[in-house]
Amino acid sequence: ETAGTGPYTVIYNDGTANRTANNVSSGTPFATFTTPVTSTTTYTLVSVTGSNSCSRNSGFTGASATITVNPLPQGSLSANGPFCATGTGQLTFTETAGTGPYTVIYNDGTANRTANNVSSGTPFATFTTPVIATTTYTLVSVTGSNSCSRSSGFTGASATITVNPLPQGSLSANGPFCATGTSQLTFTETAGTGPYTVIYNDGTANRTANNVSSGTPFATFTTP
């Protein structure tokens, strides 16, 4: 109050209806009619009546007040890759709600890691990089610049960087022949994902064999 005699009967409108608060003391908070408040709401004074029955219904020094409800951060985690053997790992948090930049805490299967000043849609480096093995990253919490924080219920809570092994294996040949024969080579994998494009040299030039399956013979470039 700046004038009047309390305690007061305060009637205010919350955008839905007029609400009445009794025995209000100047400077002492009182609960809103609807609580908790789940969305930004403006409250406007309708009237204030003092204990001496004097009442005002217009011309208030400050006739309204707003409770602002900021949304919790929400969004998805994504990752780059896949890589062959190794690569520089990056994660991206893409918001659908919240106020950045963000502090993102994620777990990489070893420990919780913290990335500061993360902007929505902008990649940031993983704690351990380069990434040498397939790794899944899971959001622990995201905190916005307004201190609102979410620790569960993310739209996309995890992302995986896939690291594929380089092809590995052995080349073998058929034969021996007497004078001539239909020659074949076989690539047998111990790592990798086929089918393969195999480039080999036959002493004359590099030759290319396409769609080679591990353990399945393919004809040499020159045959017989």
PDB file of all heavy atoms in Angstrom, residues 114-145:
ATOM      1  N   THR A 114      29.838 -32.381 -19.286  1.00  0.00           N
ATOM      2  CA  THR A 114      29.149 -31.088 -19.352  1.00  0.00           C
ATOM      3  C   THR A 114      29.634 -30.279 -20.543  1.00  0.00           C
ATOM      4  O   THR A 114      30.839 -30.113 -20.738  1.00  0.00           O
ATOM      5  CB  THR A 114      29.378 -30.286 -18.059  1.00  0.00           C
ATOM      6  OG1 THR A 114      28.884 -31.031 -16.942  1.00  0.00           O
ATOM      7  CG2 THR A 114      28.653 -28.944 -18.115  1.00  0.00           C
ATOM      8  N   ALA A 115      28.679 -29.783 -21.325  1.00  0.00           N
ATOM      9  CA  ALA A 115      28.983 -28.880 -22.443  1.00  0.00           C
ATOM     10  C   ALA A 115      28.298 -27.547 -22.146  1.00  0.00           C
ATOM     11  O   ALA A 115      27.088 -27.503 -21.917  1.00  0.00           O
ATOM     12  CB  ALA A 115      28.475 -29.455 -23.758  1.00  0.00           C
ATOM     13  N   ASN A 116      29.074 -26.475 -22.108  1.00  0.00           N
ATOM     14  CA  ASN A 116      28.565 -25.151 -21.771  1.00  0.00           C
ATOM     15  C   ASN A 116      28.317 -24.324 -23.027  1.00  0.00           C
ATOM     16  O   ASN A 116      28.915 -24.573 -24.078  1.00  0.00           O
ATOM     17  CB  ASN A 116      29.553 -24.413 -20.866  1.00  0.00           C
ATOM     18  CG  ASN A 116      29.710 -25.102 -19.525  1.00  0.00           C
ATOM     19  OD1 ASN A 116      28.744 -25.355 -18.815  1.00  0.00           O
ATOM     20  ND2 ASN A 116      30.956 -25.427 -19.159  1.00  0.00           N
ATOM     21  N   ASN A 117      27.421 -23.334 -22.891  1.00  0.00           N
ATOM     22  CA  ASN A 117      27.152 -22.377 -23.972  1.00  0.00           C
ATOM     23  C   ASN A 117      26.763 -23.061 -25.277  1.00  0.00           C
ATOM     24  O   ASN A 117      27.232 -22.698 -26.364  1.00  0.00           O
ATOM     25  CB  ASN A 117      28.365 -21.464 -24.192  1.00  0.00           C
ATOM     26  CG  ASN A 117      28.630 -20.582 -22.998  1.00  0.00           C
ATOM     27  OD1 ASN A 117      27.710 -19.981 -22.438  1.00  0.00           O
ATOM     28  ND2 ASN A 117      29.892 -20.511 -22.579  1.00  0.00           N
ATOM     29  N   VAL A 118      25.901 -24.055 -25.172  1.00  0.00           N
ATOM     30  CA  VAL A 118      25.438 -24.798 -26.346  1.00  0.00           C
ATOM     31  C   VAL A 118      24.265 -24.056 -26.988  1.00  0.00           C
ATOM     32  O   VAL A 118      23.273 -23.746 -26.325  1.00  0.00           O
ATOM     33  CB  VAL A 118      25.006 -26.224 -25.948  1.00  0.00           C
ATOM     34  CG1 VAL A 118      24.382 -26.951 -27.136  1.00  0.00           C
ATOM     35  CG2 VAL A 118      26.199 -26.993 -25.404  1.00  0.00           C
ATOM     36  N   SER A 119      24.384 -23.766 -28.272  1.00  0.00           N
ATOM     37  CA  SER A 119      23.306 -23.136 -29.021  1.00  0.00           C
ATOM     38  C   SER A 119      22.509 -24.204 -29.765  1.00  0.00           C
ATOM     39  O   SER A 119      23.080 -25.173 -30.280  1.00  0.00           O
ATOM     40  CB  SER A 119      23.864 -22.122 -30.030  1.00  0.00           C
ATOM     41  OG  SER A 119      24.520 -21.062 -29.362  1.00  0.00           O
ATOM     42  N   SER A 120      21.195 -24.022 -29.803  1.00  0.00           N
ATOM     43  CA  SER A 120      20.340 -24.977 -30.491  1.00  0.00           C
ATOM     44  C   SER A 120      20.761 -25.123 -31.949  1.00  0.00           C
ATOM     45  O   SER A 120      20.972 -24.135 -32.660  1.00  0.00           O
ATOM     46  CB  SER A 120      18.889 -24.502 -30.428  1.00  0.00           C
ATOM     47  OG  SER A 120      18.050 -25.320 -31.214  1.00  0.00           O
ATOM     48  N   GLY A 121      20.907 -26.380 -32.373  1.00  0.00           N
ATOM     49  CA  GLY A 121      21.235 -26.656 -33.770  1.00  0.00           C
ATOM     50  C   GLY A 121      22.695 -26.517 -34.125  1.00  0.00           C
ATOM     51  O   GLY A 121      23.071 -26.761 -35.273  1.00  0.00           O
ATOM     52  N   THR A 122      23.539 -26.153 -33.154  1.00  0.00           N
ATOM     53  CA  THR A 122      24.967 -25.960 -33.424  1.00  0.00           C
ATOM     54  C   THR A 122      25.764 -27.113 -32.816  1.00  0.00           C
ATOM     55  O   THR A 122      25.709 -27.327 -31.601  1.00  0.00           O
ATOM     56  CB  THR A 122      25.464 -24.630 -32.841  1.00  0.00           C
ATOM     57  OG1 THR A 122      24.709 -23.562 -33.419  1.00  0.00           O
ATOM     58  CG2 THR A 122      26.943 -24.430 -33.136  1.00  0.00           C
ATOM     59  N   PRO A 123      26.525 -27.867 -33.628  1.00  0.00           N
ATOM     60  CA  PRO A 123      27.269 -29.011 -33.093  1.00  0.00           C
ATOM     61  C   PRO A 123      28.321 -28.570 -32.068  1.00  0.00           C
ATOM     62  O   PRO A 123      28.900 -27.483 -32.165  1.00  0.00           O
ATOM     63  CB  PRO A 123      27.937 -29.606 -34.336  1.00  0.00           C
ATOM     64  CG  PRO A 123      27.108 -29.130 -35.485  1.00  0.00           C
ATOM     65  CD  PRO A 123      26.652 -27.754 -35.097  1.00  0.00           C
ATOM     66  N   PHE A 124      28.547 -29.442 -31.084  1.00  0.00           N
ATOM     67  CA  PHE A 124      29.629 -29.248 -30.122  1.00  0.00           C
ATOM     68  C   PHE A 124      30.394 -30.558 -29.985  1.00  0.00           C
ATOM     69  O   PHE A 124      29.854 -31.641 -30.210  1.00  0.00           O
ATOM     70  CB  PHE A 124      29.095 -28.777 -28.767  1.00  0.00           C
ATOM     71  CG  PHE A 124      28.111 -29.699 -28.099  1.00  0.00           C
ATOM     72  CD1 PHE A 124      28.535 -30.663 -27.193  1.00  0.00           C
ATOM     73  CD2 PHE A 124      26.749 -29.614 -28.377  1.00  0.00           C
ATOM     74  CE1 PHE A 124      27.630 -31.515 -26.574  1.00  0.00           C
ATOM     75  CE2 PHE A 124      25.832 -30.469 -27.757  1.00  0.00           C
ATOM     76  CZ  PHE A 124      26.276 -31.419 -26.858  1.00  0.00           C
ATOM     77  N   ALA A 125      31.681 -30.436 -29.660  1.00  0.00           N
ATOM     78  CA  ALA A 125      32.550 -31.610 -29.617  1.00  0.00           C
ATOM     79  C   ALA A 125      32.212 -32.517 -28.445  1.00  0.00           C
ATOM     80  O   ALA A 125      31.880 -32.057 -27.349  1.00  0.00           O
ATOM     81  CB  ALA A 125      34.009 -31.176 -29.536  1.00  0.00           C
ATOM     82  N   THR A 126      32.291 -33.819 -28.665  1.00  0.00           N
ATOM     83  CA  THR A 126      32.146 -34.768 -27.570  1.00  0.00           C
ATOM     84  C   THR A 126      33.350 -34.644 -26.638  1.00  0.00           C
ATOM     85  O   THR A 126      34.420 -34.170 -27.032  1.00  0.00           O
ATOM     86  CB  THR A 126      32.050 -36.209 -28.085  1.00  0.00           C
ATOM     87  OG1 THR A 126      33.193 -36.490 -28.908  1.00  0.00           O
ATOM     88  CG2 THR A 126      30.784 -36.398 -28.903  1.00  0.00           C
ATOM     89  N   PHE A 127      33.144 -35.037 -25.383  1.00  0.00           N
ATOM     90  CA  PHE A 127      34.225 -34.936 -24.397  1.00  0.00           C
ATOM     91  C   PHE A 127      35.450 -35.727 -24.848  1.00  0.00           C
ATOM     92  O   PHE A 127      36.580 -35.257 -24.767  1.00  0.00           O
ATOM     93  CB  PHE A 127      33.730 -35.450 -23.032  1.00  0.00           C
ATOM     94  CG  PHE A 127      34.761 -35.392 -21.946  1.00  0.00           C
ATOM     95  CD1 PHE A 127      34.994 -34.213 -21.256  1.00  0.00           C
ATOM     96  CD2 PHE A 127      35.497 -36.523 -21.609  1.00  0.00           C
ATOM     97  CE1 PHE A 127      35.954 -34.159 -20.248  1.00  0.00           C
ATOM     98  CE2 PHE A 127      36.445 -36.479 -20.610  1.00  0.00           C
ATOM     99  CZ  PHE A 127      36.672 -35.294 -19.924  1.00  0.00           C
ATOM    100  N   THR A 128      35.222 -36.944 -25.333  1.00  0.00           N
ATOM    101  CA  THR A 128      36.305 -37.783 -25.839  1.00  0.00           C
ATOM    102  C   THR A 128      36.241 -37.783 -27.354  1.00  0.00           C
ATOM    103  O   THR A 128      35.261 -38.238 -27.945  1.00  0.00           O
ATOM    104  CB  THR A 128      36.184 -39.224 -25.320  1.00  0.00           C
ATOM    105  OG1 THR A 128      36.198 -39.208 -23.888  1.00  0.00           O
ATOM    106  CG2 THR A 128      37.328 -40.094 -25.823  1.00  0.00           C
ATOM    107  N   THR A 129      37.289 -37.242 -27.956  1.00  0.00           N
ATOM    108  CA  THR A 129      37.344 -37.199 -29.413  1.00  0.00           C
ATOM    109  C   THR A 129      38.809 -37.260 -29.838  1.00  0.00           C
ATOM    110  O   THR A 129      39.661 -36.684 -29.153  1.00  0.00           O
ATOM    111  CB  THR A 129      36.631 -35.939 -29.967  1.00  0.00           C
ATOM    112  OG1 THR A 129      36.429 -36.071 -31.367  1.00  0.00           O
ATOM    113  CG2 THR A 129      37.362 -34.661 -29.632  1.00  0.00           C
ATOM    114  N   PRO A 130      39.175 -37.987 -30.879  1.00  0.00           N
ATOM    115  CA  PRO A 130      38.263 -38.674 -31.801  1.00  0.00           C
ATOM    116  C   PRO A 130      37.565 -39.867 -31.159  1.00  0.00           C
ATOM    117  O   PRO A 130      38.029 -40.399 -30.151  1.00  0.00           O
ATOM    118  CB  PRO A 130      39.192 -39.112 -32.931  1.00  0.00           C
ATOM    119  CG  PRO A 130      40.529 -39.269 -32.277  1.00  0.00           C
ATOM    120  CD  PRO A 130      40.598 -38.169 -31.265  1.00  0.00           C
ATOM    121  N   VAL A 131      36.461 -40.259 -31.764  1.00  0.00           N
ATOM    122  CA  VAL A 131      35.700 -41.412 -31.302  1.00  0.00           C
ATOM    123  C   VAL A 131      36.218 -42.636 -32.045  1.00  0.00           C
ATOM    124  O   VAL A 131      36.267 -42.641 -33.276  1.00  0.00           O
ATOM    125  CB  VAL A 131      34.197 -41.211 -31.573  1.00  0.00           C
ATOM    126  CG1 VAL A 131      33.398 -42.396 -31.061  1.00  0.00           C
ATOM    127  CG2 VAL A 131      33.712 -39.923 -30.928  1.00  0.00           C
ATOM    128  N   ILE A 132      36.615 -43.662 -31.293  1.00  0.00           N
ATOM    129  CA  ILE A 132      37.234 -44.844 -31.918  1.00  0.00           C
ATOM    130  C   ILE A 132      36.360 -46.092 -31.798  1.00  0.00           C
ATOM    131  O   ILE A 132      36.709 -47.136 -32.343  1.00  0.00           O
ATOM    132  CB  ILE A 132      38.629 -45.126 -31.323  1.00  0.00           C
ATOM    133  CG1 ILE A 132      38.521 -45.375 -29.817  1.00  0.00           C
ATOM    134  CG2 ILE A 132      39.574 -43.963 -31.613  1.00  0.00           C
ATOM    135  CD1 ILE A 132      39.847 -45.799 -29.175  1.00  0.00           C
ATOM    136  N   ALA A 133      35.237 -45.963 -31.090  1.00  0.00           N
ATOM    137  CA  ALA A 133      34.306 -47.097 -30.974  1.00  0.00           C
ATOM    138  C   ALA A 133      32.887 -46.555 -30.933  1.00  0.00           C
ATOM    139  O   ALA A 133      32.656 -45.422 -30.489  1.00  0.00           O
ATOM    140  CB  ALA A 133      34.597 -47.914 -29.716  1.00  0.00           C
ATOM    141  N   THR A 134      31.938 -47.349 -31.407  1.00  0.00           N
ATOM    142  CA  THR A 134      30.538 -46.935 -31.399  1.00  0.00           C
ATOM    143  C   THR A 134      30.123 -46.541 -29.984  1.00  0.00           C
ATOM    144  O   THR A 134      30.330 -47.294 -29.028  1.00  0.00           O
ATOM    145  CB  THR A 134      29.644 -48.058 -31.930  1.00  0.00           C
ATOM    146  OG1 THR A 134      29.971 -48.296 -33.309  1.00  0.00           O
ATOM    147  CG2 THR A 134      28.173 -47.692 -31.833  1.00  0.00           C
ATOM    148  N   THR A 135      29.558 -45.330 -29.834  1.00  0.00           N
ATOM    149  CA  THR A 135      29.241 -44.776 -28.515  1.00  0.00           C
ATOM    150  C   THR A 135      27.853 -44.150 -28.540  1.00  0.00           C
ATOM    151  O   THR A 135      27.507 -43.428 -29.469  1.00  0.00           O
ATOM    152  CB  THR A 135      30.274 -43.699 -28.121  1.00  0.00           C
ATOM    153  OG1 THR A 135      31.596 -44.261 -28.186  1.00  0.00           O
ATOM    154  CG2 THR A 135      30.016 -43.185 -26.716  1.00  0.00           C
ATOM    155  N   THR A 136      27.085 -44.443 -27.487  1.00  0.00           N
ATOM    156  CA  THR A 136      25.767 -43.832 -27.316  1.00  0.00           C
ATOM    157  C   THR A 136      25.844 -42.754 -26.244  1.00  0.00           C
ATOM    158  O   THR A 136      26.411 -42.974 -25.164  1.00  0.00           O
ATOM    159  CB  THR A 136      24.714 -44.879 -26.929  1.00  0.00           C
ATOM    160  OG1 THR A 136      24.582 -45.811 -28.014  1.00  0.00           O
ATOM    161  CG2 THR A 136      23.355 -44.232 -26.675  1.00  0.00           C
ATOM    162  N   TYR A 137      25.282 -41.600 -26.546  1.00  0.00           N
ATOM    163  CA  TYR A 137      25.284 -40.444 -25.650  1.00  0.00           C
ATOM    164  C   TYR A 137      23.850 -40.188 -25.207  1.00  0.00           C
ATOM    165  O   TYR A 137      22.938 -40.107 -26.035  1.00  0.00           O
ATOM    166  CB  TYR A 137      25.849 -39.217 -26.369  1.00  0.00           C
ATOM    167  CG  TYR A 137      27.229 -39.455 -26.945  1.00  0.00           C
ATOM    168  CD1 TYR A 137      27.372 -40.035 -28.206  1.00  0.00           C
ATOM    169  CD2 TYR A 137      28.369 -39.137 -26.223  1.00  0.00           C
ATOM    170  CE1 TYR A 137      28.636 -40.275 -28.734  1.00  0.00           C
ATOM    171  CE2 TYR A 137      29.631 -39.369 -26.746  1.00  0.00           C
ATOM    172  CZ  TYR A 137      29.756 -39.945 -27.996  1.00  0.00           C
ATOM    173  OH  TYR A 137      31.006 -40.186 -28.514  1.00  0.00           O
ATOM    174  N   THR A 138      23.644 -40.063 -23.878  1.00  0.00           N
ATOM    175  CA  THR A 138      22.296 -39.916 -23.325  1.00  0.00           C
ATOM    176  C   THR A 138      22.196 -38.632 -22.517  1.00  0.00           C
ATOM    177  O   THR A 138      23.044 -38.366 -21.649  1.00  0.00           O
ATOM    178  CB  THR A 138      21.951 -41.115 -22.429  1.00  0.00           C
ATOM    179  OG1 THR A 138      22.085 -42.320 -23.188  1.00  0.00           O
ATOM    180  CG2 THR A 138      20.523 -41.005 -21.907  1.00  0.00           C
ATOM    181  N   LEU A 139      21.163 -37.829 -22.802  1.00  0.00           N
ATOM    182  CA  LEU A 139      20.967 -36.586 -22.073  1.00  0.00           C
ATOM    183  C   LEU A 139      20.668 -36.863 -20.601  1.00  0.00           C
ATOM    184  O   LEU A 139      19.838 -37.706 -20.267  1.00  0.00           O
ATOM    185  CB  LEU A 139      19.813 -35.786 -22.682  1.00  0.00           C
ATOM    186  CG  LEU A 139      20.081 -35.105 -24.020  1.00  0.00           C
ATOM    187  CD1 LEU A 139      18.793 -34.503 -24.571  1.00  0.00           C
ATOM    188  CD2 LEU A 139      21.153 -34.027 -23.880  1.00  0.00           C
ATOM    189  N   VAL A 140      21.358 -36.138 -19.723  1.00  0.00           N
ATOM    190  CA  VAL A 140      21.096 -36.173 -18.285  1.00  0.00           C
ATOM    191  C   VAL A 140      20.253 -34.968 -17.895  1.00  0.00           C
ATOM    192  O   VAL A 140      19.240 -35.086 -17.212  1.00  0.00           O
ATOM    193  CB  VAL A 140      22.411 -36.203 -17.486  1.00  0.00           C
ATOM    194  CG1 VAL A 140      22.137 -36.110 -15.982  1.00  0.00           C
ATOM    195  CG2 VAL A 140      23.202 -37.466 -17.820  1.00  0.00           C
ATOM    196  N   SER A 141      20.647 -33.796 -18.350  1.00  0.00           N
ATOM    197  CA  SER A 141      19.865 -32.576 -18.102  1.00  0.00           C
ATOM    198  C   SER A 141      20.249 -31.506 -19.107  1.00  0.00           C
ATOM    199  O   SER A 141      21.353 -31.521 -19.665  1.00  0.00           O
ATOM    200  CB  SER A 141      20.081 -32.058 -16.678  1.00  0.00           C
ATOM    201  OG  SER A 141      21.401 -31.579 -16.514  1.00  0.00           O
ATOM    202  N   VAL A 142      19.306 -30.580 -19.328  1.00  0.00           N
ATOM    203  CA  VAL A 142      19.552 -29.398 -20.151  1.00  0.00           C
ATOM    204  C   VAL A 142      19.030 -28.202 -19.372  1.00  0.00           C
ATOM    205  O   VAL A 142      17.862 -28.178 -18.970  1.00  0.00           O
ATOM    206  CB  VAL A 142      18.852 -29.493 -21.523  1.00  0.00           C
ATOM    207  CG1 VAL A 142      19.051 -28.202 -22.316  1.00  0.00           C
ATOM    208  CG2 VAL A 142      19.379 -30.684 -22.320  1.00  0.00           C
ATOM    209  N   THR A 143      19.899 -27.214 -19.154  1.00  0.00           N
ATOM    210  CA  THR A 143      19.534 -26.019 -18.398  1.00  0.00           C
ATOM    211  C   THR A 143      19.662 -24.798 -19.302  1.00  0.00           C
ATOM    212  O   THR A 143      20.709 -24.587 -19.922  1.00  0.00           O
ATOM    213  CB  THR A 143      20.427 -25.840 -17.163  1.00  0.00           C
ATOM    214  OG1 THR A 143      20.335 -27.020 -16.348  1.00  0.00           O
ATOM    215  CG2 THR A 143      19.998 -24.632 -16.342  1.00  0.00           C
ATOM    216  N   GLY A 144      18.586 -24.005 -19.379  1.00  0.00           N
ATOM    217  CA  GLY A 144      18.596 -22.817 -20.221  1.00  0.00           C
ATOM    218  C   GLY A 144      19.240 -21.635 -19.531  1.00  0.00           C
ATOM    219  O   GLY A 144      19.586 -21.665 -18.341  1.00  0.00           O
ATOM    220  N   SER A 145      19.400 -20.549 -20.280  1.00  0.00           N
ATOM    221  CA  SER A 145      20.028 -19.338 -19.749  1.00  0.00           C
ATOM    222  C   SER A 145      19.166 -18.682 -18.681  1.00  0.00           C
ATOM    223  O   SER A 145      19.650 -17.841 -17.917  1.00  0.00           O
ATOM    224  CB  SER A 145      20.298 -18.351 -20.889  1.00  0.00           C
ATOM    225  OG  SER A 145      19.094 -18.010 -21.551  1.00  0.00           O
TER     226      SER A 145
END
